Amino acid sequence: MVQRRTSKRTPSNSSDRARRGQAFVELALGLPLMLLIMLGTLDLGQMFVGYVQLRNGCREAASYGARHPTDTPGIESRVTAEDPYKVYSTTTVTVEVQGNLDVTTDSRTMLVVSCERTFSPQFSEFFETYWGIGDIPLRSTASSQVQK
């Protein structure tokens, strides 16, 4: 009769506990870093969307202002119309006419629209406390030649 050797290799209880403890420590150290990266990415995405809205509004206002250079409230309303959810309550719009609006002259008249608003991160208290990152100004400028 042939005897087989069977070796049952089972990890001891202390080794099994150590592995579970190691995984818990790795989770405890890695989770805050992963959350920080995720929350920072969300804020960065929101800031990018806010800038794109501001830039599009500024371009739309310059396009409208090229046809109606004296309608400053209409130009400003084109910028604020690009914020459909009214997330940004204060958007500063500056309209500047460079040149002569007289239709009898042949000079090139440019309309420059400058827009500015402030982006406040959702987690601004955390970012400001640990990294000094607070409100971020967003600026855009668009120009268009006035059509006479």
Side-chain angles (χ1 to χ4, degrees), residues 33-144:
L33 181 63
M34 290 182 348
L35 286 175
L36 178 67
I37 291 171
M38 183 184 71
L39 297 177
T41 302
L42 289 174
D43 268 345
L44 189 64
Q46 288 178 341
M47 183 179 72
F48 181 71
V49 167
Y51 174 72
V52 168
Q53 286 178 347
L54 182 68
R55 187 186 67 193
N56 289 343
C58 201
R59 287 180 179 175
E60 179 66 29
S63 176
Y64 176 79
R67 295 181 307 272
H68 310 283
T70 57
D71 185 16
T72 305
I75 294 171
E76 291 174 354
S77 70
R78 298 290 173 146
V79 175
T80 57
E82 287 294 321
D83 183 15
Y85 301 113
K86 305 296 181 225
V87 174
Y88 299 98
S89 59
T90 57
T91 301
T92 305
V93 180
T94 305
V95 180
E96 179 184 350
V97 177
Q98 297 175 344
N100 191 355
L101 286 176
D102 187 13
V103 292
T104 59
T105 63
D106 290 335
S107 68
R108 298 182 85 176
T109 304
M110 296 296 290
L111 180 87
V112 179
V113 179
S114 301
C115 308
E116 184 174 348
R117 66 172 56 144
T118 303
F119 173 76
S120 299
Q122 294 291 326
F123 307 99
S124 60
E125 292 176 16
F126 178 76
F127 289 133
E128 193 167 353
T129 302
Y130 293 103
W131 285 287
I133 300 172
D135 293 344
I136 301 167
L138 304 176
R139 295 182 188 100
S140 181
T141 302
S143 61
S144 183

